[in-house]
Amino acid sequence: MQPKTAHSARALRSQGALAVLRYVHAHPSATRADATRALGLSSGNAAEITARLKASRLVEEEAPPLTGGRGRPSPTLTAHPDGPVVCVVDISHERWRVAAVQLGGGLVTEEAGHHSGSPTILGALAEHVSALHTRYGRRLRAVSACVAGTVSGTAIVQASGMGWRDVDLDPLKPPGVPLLVGNDASLAGLAEARRGAGAGARVVLHLTVEVGVGGILVVDGRPVDGATGAGGEFGHMPFGDPDLECPCGARGCWDLEVDGRAMARALGRPAPRDPRTAAEQIIAAAASAPASRTAVAAAAHALGRGMGALVNALDPDVVTLSGLAPALAETAPVALESGYTAALMRYRRSAPPPVRPSTLGAQGPLTGAADAAFDVLLTEDGLDAWTSG
């Protein structure tokens, strides 16, 4: 049975348990000795905290394999097998995923499939979430949705790639379980800043190319996502042709210069039904088809120019790229670099922020959504709720 009194939560907080839990979540392969050193704990204090966390079904200790060296290796701190989990619902332009994620970011279960683009998919996704709620009961502490669209609160204001507008995701919320909703590119950037290509940097600018451009600025591990959560819609900055109207209603959006729509336009083709798939095909053809190579180079140059403008404005330590952006950079590196350098203020050109491809890839949005949920859970209130429930 789990502890039932508020005293348990107060005792955990007083012993620095939250700090240990946050460390374990951020460093899922860490040993108790690692946590002790990083957090400035005494070995006795660390042992007592660990015992309390184990009794509260929050962490477990696993003995590492013997190496033949002197002394006994420090045990690894991992998620407790009966500990809290969060449900992540990932809705992209044509696919969906529903996963249960434990402390440390490890996947417990995952289901995936395709959808037609209609908001009616929310009914089927709600059934998957409900099944996880039935399976895990009170262990399921939050539902965190990541969507390919502009988000405000728990609603999708617009998702041009799917044709959604003013769609509330409240149907995904089981009774008594909080619902968080975030943009997929922003959440991918959060994950890259904490666990991926931007790890260790204080200010990370993340950009992703899917259908248009998205991203986020992450400062000290926290996303700068605006007053309503809609921050990071970099693709709707007027870095493009003002004669082109974006589905968002604005003109000259950067979105229209870097994705499959831009490449198709450069090739004299009609706008593709699925800009992402079209972009993948054109990028793949660039190795042997000069026209495709030219179209890719134009998109890469436009990506670089916008990237330089954002570096001037936001002053990041590093720029990370995900989605199709790394493929653009790899296929047309000279075009991207020339666009980037030309857009930078002169004083920045001798030492511009490095540009790094994603290390998390397609797992970025899901990982970021889980981290956003655990940010809410790994608080004093979250600990109180877990230990006193």
Side-chain angles (χ1 to χ4, degrees):
M1 296 292 290
Q2 294 186 23
K4 296 294 184 181
T5 67
H7 172 74
S8 297
R10 289 196 299 270
L12 284 172
R13 290 201 302 271
S14 68
Q15 296 296 322
L18 273 175
V20 173
L21 279 175
R22 290 166 180 162
Y23 186 84
V24 171
H25 181 63
H27 306 85
S29 60
T31 65
R32 193 204 302 172
D34 293 331
T36 300
R37 286 191 296 268
L39 300 175
L41 302 171
S42 68
S43 57
N45 198 7
E48 183 178 356
I49 291 172
T50 302
R52 290 181 180 276
L53 292 175
K54 289 168 65 178
S56 297
R57 289 184 164 86
L58 286 163
V59 302
E60 187 65 282
E61 288 188 287
E62 294 183 358
L66 296 176
T67 61
R70 292 184 177 182
R72 179 178 297 175
S74 180
T76 300
L77 297 175
T78 63
H80 196 284
D82 296 323
V85 297
V86 300
C87 171
V88 175
V89 181
D90 180 6
I91 309 172
S92 61
H93 299 287
E94 293 188 322
R95 292 185 58 81
W96 60 266
R97 291 187 292 176
V98 177
V101 182
Q102 64 185 358
L103 186 78
L107 280 177
V108 182
T109 65
E110 181 179 12
E111 296 182 86
H114 289 83
H115 66 89
S116 64
S118 168
T120 57
I121 186 61
L122 293 179
L125 296 178
E127 291 181 5
H128 286 287
V129 174
S130 179
L132 287 180
H133 191 217
T134 299
R135 177 176 179 178
Y136 292 108
R138 74 174 301 274
R139 289 182 59 199
L140 184 65
R141 308 305 293 176
V143 175
S144 187
C146 51
V147 296
T150 304
V151 170
S152 180
T154 61
I156 302 173
V157 179
Q158 65 174 23
S160 301
M162 298 185 290
W164 294 14
R165 189 177 299 276
D166 297 325
V167 176
D168 200 312
L169 299 190
D170 197 61
L172 300 179
K173 182 183 181 301
V177 178
L179 171 67
L180 297 82
V181 180
N183 172 266
D184 59 348
S186 298
L187 291 168
L190 175 65
E192 289 293 341
R194 293 183 179 182
R195 301 175 184 270
R202 193 179 79 84
V203 182
V204 179
L205 171 63
H206 181 75
L207 297 172
T208 187
V209 176
E210 296 288 348
V211 178
V213 188
I216 196 69
L217 185 73
V218 182
V219 180
D220 293 327
R222 297 289 175 180
V224 182
D225 55 3
T228 64
E233 289 290 345
F234 300 132
H236 299 289
M237 300 184 76
F239 295 161
D241 183 348
D243 290 334
L244 295 177
E245 183 175 0
C246 179
C248 78
R251 304 189 74 87
C253 288
W254 190 25
D255 269 5
L256 303 179
E257 303 297 321
V258 298
D259 67 5
R261 292 168 292 187
M263 295 180 217
R265 196 166 61 248
L267 291 169
R269 300 175 184 173
R273 185 191 67 82
D274 178 4
R276 195 190 196 286
T277 299
E280 289 178 328
Q281 293 170 345
I282 295 168
I283 291 170
S288 58
S292 293
R293 190 157 55 249
T294 299
V296 172
H301 189 268
L303 176 62
R305 286 188 68 250
M307 189 165 65
L310 288 171
V311 165
N312 291 338
L314 302 174
D315 192 27
D317 293 306
V318 62
V319 180
T320 59
L321 301 178
S322 69
L324 292 172
L328 285 172
E330 182 179 355
T331 305
V334 174
L336 183 131
E337 180 66 24
S338 65
Y340 182 38
T341 302
L344 289 172
M345 299 166 69
R346 185 179 296 110
Y347 88 94
R348 292 186 180 276
R349 294 176 186 168
S350 61
V355 180
R356 300 173 184 166
S358 164
T359 61
L360 298 176
Q363 288 298 107
L366 189 148
T367 301
D371 272 357
F374 274 105
D375 283 350
V376 174
L377 301 180
L378 299 181
T379 62
E380 292 188 0
D381 288 344
L383 194 58
D384 281 343
W386 174 257
T387 57
S388 62

Tab-separated table of all heavy atoms in Angstrom, residues 238-263:
chain	number	residue	atom	x	y	z
A	238	PRO	N	7.176	36.771	-41.373
A	238	PRO	CA	7.155	37.149	-42.794
A	238	PRO	C	8.527	37.117	-43.450
A	238	PRO	O	9.038	38.134	-43.928
A	238	PRO	CB	6.582	38.574	-42.748
A	238	PRO	CG	7.028	39.110	-41.429
A	238	PRO	CD	6.998	37.942	-40.493
A	239	PHE	N	9.116	35.923	-43.502
A	239	PHE	CA	10.408	35.743	-44.157
A	239	PHE	C	10.235	35.293	-45.610
A	239	PHE	O	11.213	34.966	-46.276
A	239	PHE	CB	11.241	34.682	-43.421
A	239	PHE	CG	11.646	35.065	-42.022
A	239	PHE	CD1	12.053	34.079	-41.118
A	239	PHE	CD2	11.645	36.378	-41.600
A	239	PHE	CE1	12.447	34.411	-39.836
A	239	PHE	CE2	12.032	36.716	-40.300
A	239	PHE	CZ	12.433	35.732	-39.416
A	240	GLY	N	9.001	35.217	-46.090
A	240	GLY	CA	8.727	34.693	-47.422
A	240	GLY	C	8.176	35.740	-48.371
A	240	GLY	O	8.207	36.953	-48.118
A	241	ASP	N	7.642	35.258	-49.472
A	241	ASP	CA	7.092	36.100	-50.530
A	241	ASP	C	5.771	36.712	-50.068
A	241	ASP	O	4.803	35.990	-49.825
A	241	ASP	CB	6.877	35.239	-51.777
A	241	ASP	CG	6.378	36.028	-52.978
A	241	ASP	OD1	5.977	37.196	-52.800
A	241	ASP	OD2	6.376	35.461	-54.079
A	242	PRO	N	5.678	38.050	-49.983
A	242	PRO	CA	4.436	38.669	-49.497
A	242	PRO	C	3.256	38.477	-50.436
A	242	PRO	O	2.107	38.752	-50.052
A	242	PRO	CB	4.811	40.152	-49.363
A	242	PRO	CG	5.974	40.342	-50.268
A	242	PRO	CD	6.727	39.043	-50.251
A	243	ASP	N	3.519	38.017	-51.650
A	243	ASP	CA	2.410	37.755	-52.567
A	243	ASP	C	1.722	36.422	-52.291
A	243	ASP	O	0.653	36.148	-52.857
A	243	ASP	CB	2.912	37.774	-54.018
A	243	ASP	CG	3.303	39.171	-54.476
A	243	ASP	OD1	2.750	40.144	-53.923
A	243	ASP	OD2	4.169	39.289	-55.361
A	244	LEU	N	2.335	35.589	-51.459
A	244	LEU	CA	1.764	34.271	-51.163
A	244	LEU	C	0.981	34.328	-49.849
A	244	LEU	O	1.511	34.773	-48.826
A	244	LEU	CB	2.871	33.218	-51.055
A	244	LEU	CG	3.661	32.922	-52.331
A	244	LEU	CD1	4.757	31.905	-52.042
A	244	LEU	CD2	2.740	32.415	-53.436
A	245	GLU	N	-0.256	33.868	-49.891
A	245	GLU	CA	-1.068	33.811	-48.674
A	245	GLU	C	-0.985	32.431	-48.060
A	245	GLU	O	-1.155	31.412	-48.727
A	245	GLU	CB	-2.527	34.154	-48.966
A	245	GLU	CG	-3.378	34.174	-47.696
A	245	GLU	CD	-4.805	34.636	-47.933
A	245	GLU	OE1	-5.132	34.939	-49.098
A	245	GLU	OE2	-5.579	34.685	-46.971
A	246	CYS	N	-0.710	32.402	-46.776
A	246	CYS	CA	-0.596	31.150	-46.023
A	246	CYS	C	-1.994	30.702	-45.581
A	246	CYS	O	-2.886	31.537	-45.376
A	246	CYS	CB	0.295	31.397	-44.815
A	246	CYS	SG	0.537	29.963	-43.745
A	247	PRO	N	-2.207	29.396	-45.402
A	247	PRO	CA	-3.494	28.939	-44.862
A	247	PRO	C	-3.830	29.544	-43.504
A	247	PRO	O	-4.995	29.569	-43.102
A	247	PRO	CB	-3.307	27.424	-44.753
A	247	PRO	CG	-2.314	27.093	-45.810
A	247	PRO	CD	-1.369	28.256	-45.844
A	248	CYS	N	-2.807	30.082	-42.805
A	248	CYS	CA	-3.083	30.700	-41.500
A	248	CYS	C	-3.785	32.039	-41.649
A	248	CYS	O	-4.300	32.590	-40.674
A	248	CYS	CB	-1.785	30.882	-40.722
A	248	CYS	SG	-0.787	32.288	-41.254
A	249	GLY	N	-3.771	32.612	-42.865
A	249	GLY	CA	-4.397	33.903	-43.090
A	249	GLY	C	-3.412	35.037	-43.278
A	249	GLY	O	-3.771	36.104	-43.787
A	250	ALA	N	-2.149	34.833	-42.870
A	250	ALA	CA	-1.121	35.855	-43.062
A	250	ALA	C	-0.482	35.692	-44.446
A	250	ALA	O	-0.617	34.655	-45.099
A	250	ALA	CB	-0.065	35.751	-41.971
A	251	ARG	N	0.249	36.713	-44.863
A	251	ARG	CA	0.931	36.673	-46.150
A	251	ARG	C	2.438	36.648	-45.920
A	251	ARG	O	2.956	37.241	-44.983
A	251	ARG	CB	0.551	37.885	-47.004
A	251	ARG	CG	-0.959	38.035	-47.224
A	251	ARG	CD	-1.265	39.102	-48.245
A	251	ARG	NE	-0.954	38.650	-49.599
A	251	ARG	CZ	-1.801	37.966	-50.375
A	251	ARG	NH1	-3.010	37.648	-49.928
A	251	ARG	NH2	-1.455	37.603	-51.590
A	252	GLY	N	3.130	35.970	-46.832
A	252	GLY	CA	4.586	35.952	-46.782
A	252	GLY	C	5.175	35.077	-45.701
A	252	GLY	O	6.320	35.292	-45.268
A	253	CYS	N	4.451	34.066	-45.229
A	253	CYS	CA	4.952	33.218	-44.148
A	253	CYS	C	6.183	32.413	-44.581
A	253	CYS	O	6.251	31.902	-45.699
A	253	CYS	CB	3.862	32.278	-43.656
A	253	CYS	SG	2.571	33.101	-42.703
A	254	TRP	N	7.107	32.294	-43.652
A	254	TRP	CA	8.328	31.482	-43.864
A	254	TRP	C	7.962	30.039	-44.188
A	254	TRP	O	8.662	29.376	-44.951
A	254	TRP	CB	9.168	31.578	-42.600
A	254	TRP	CG	10.550	31.021	-42.662
A	254	TRP	CD1	11.336	30.863	-43.769
A	254	TRP	CD2	11.322	30.579	-41.550
A	254	TRP	NE1	12.557	30.346	-43.407
A	254	TRP	CE2	12.568	30.169	-42.045
A	254	TRP	CE3	11.093	30.505	-40.183
A	254	TRP	CZ2	13.588	29.668	-41.224
A	254	TRP	CZ3	12.096	30.028	-39.362
A	254	TRP	CH2	13.326	29.612	-39.875
A	255	ASP	N	6.880	29.538	-43.611
A	255	ASP	CA	6.392	28.182	-43.903
A	255	ASP	C	6.435	27.857	-45.391
A	255	ASP	O	6.824	26.744	-45.787
A	255	ASP	CB	4.922	28.041	-43.456
A	255	ASP	CG	4.777	27.544	-42.040
A	255	ASP	OD1	5.783	27.374	-41.336
A	255	ASP	OD2	3.619	27.337	-41.615
A	256	LEU	N	5.992	28.811	-46.209
A	256	LEU	CA	5.778	28.565	-47.635
A	256	LEU	C	7.067	28.566	-48.437
A	256	LEU	O	7.043	28.334	-49.646
A	256	LEU	CB	4.819	29.617	-48.202
A	256	LEU	CG	3.453	29.698	-47.518
A	256	LEU	CD1	2.608	30.793	-48.146
A	256	LEU	CD2	2.730	28.361	-47.591
A	257	GLU	N	8.215	28.795	-47.762
A	257	GLU	CA	9.501	28.849	-48.466
A	257	GLU	C	10.384	27.639	-48.223
A	257	GLU	O	11.398	27.482	-48.906
A	257	GLU	CB	10.279	30.107	-48.028
A	257	GLU	CG	9.525	31.407	-48.243
A	257	GLU	CD	9.232	31.667	-49.711
A	257	GLU	OE1	10.097	31.383	-50.560
A	257	GLU	OE2	8.120	32.144	-50.008
A	258	VAL	N	10.019	26.780	-47.256
A	258	VAL	CA	10.984	25.755	-46.839
A	258	VAL	C	10.467	24.322	-46.920
A	258	VAL	O	11.260	23.388	-46.777
A	258	VAL	CB	11.470	26.022	-45.390
A	258	VAL	CG1	12.184	27.350	-45.312
A	258	VAL	CG2	10.315	25.980	-44.410
A	259	ASP	N	9.172	24.103	-47.125
A	259	ASP	CA	8.669	22.733	-47.061
A	259	ASP	C	8.337	22.200	-48.447
A	259	ASP	O	8.769	22.753	-49.475
A	259	ASP	CB	7.469	22.637	-46.110
A	259	ASP	CG	6.235	23.382	-46.614
A	259	ASP	OD1	6.249	23.912	-47.737
A	259	ASP	OD2	5.226	23.414	-45.864
A	260	GLY	N	7.564	21.130	-48.497
A	260	GLY	CA	7.243	20.500	-49.772
A	260	GLY	C	6.473	21.374	-50.718
A	260	GLY	O	6.560	21.210	-51.953
A	261	ARG	N	5.721	22.341	-50.187
A	261	ARG	CA	4.990	23.266	-51.054
A	261	ARG	C	5.965	24.148	-51.832
A	261	ARG	O	5.795	24.400	-53.032
A	261	ARG	CB	4.036	24.119	-50.222
A	261	ARG	CG	2.884	23.321	-49.619
A	261	ARG	CD	2.126	24.116	-48.578
A	261	ARG	NE	2.938	24.351	-47.378
A	261	ARG	CZ	2.461	24.898	-46.261
A	261	ARG	NH1	1.189	25.266	-46.195
A	261	ARG	NH2	3.247	25.078	-45.219
A	262	ALA	N	7.007	24.619	-51.142
A	262	ALA	CA	8.007	25.460	-51.803
A	262	ALA	C	8.756	24.675	-52.874
A	262	ALA	O	9.000	25.178	-53.984
A	262	ALA	CB	8.983	26.008	-50.768
A	263	MET	N	9.120	23.439	-52.555
A	263	MET	CA	9.877	22.632	-53.520
A	263	MET	C	9.023	22.289	-54.735
A	263	MET	O	9.500	22.327	-55.874
A	263	MET	CB	10.395	21.357	-52.830
A	263	MET	CG	11.397	21.623	-51.728
A	263	MET	SD	11.978	20.073	-50.962
A	263	MET	CE	12.105	20.583	-49.258
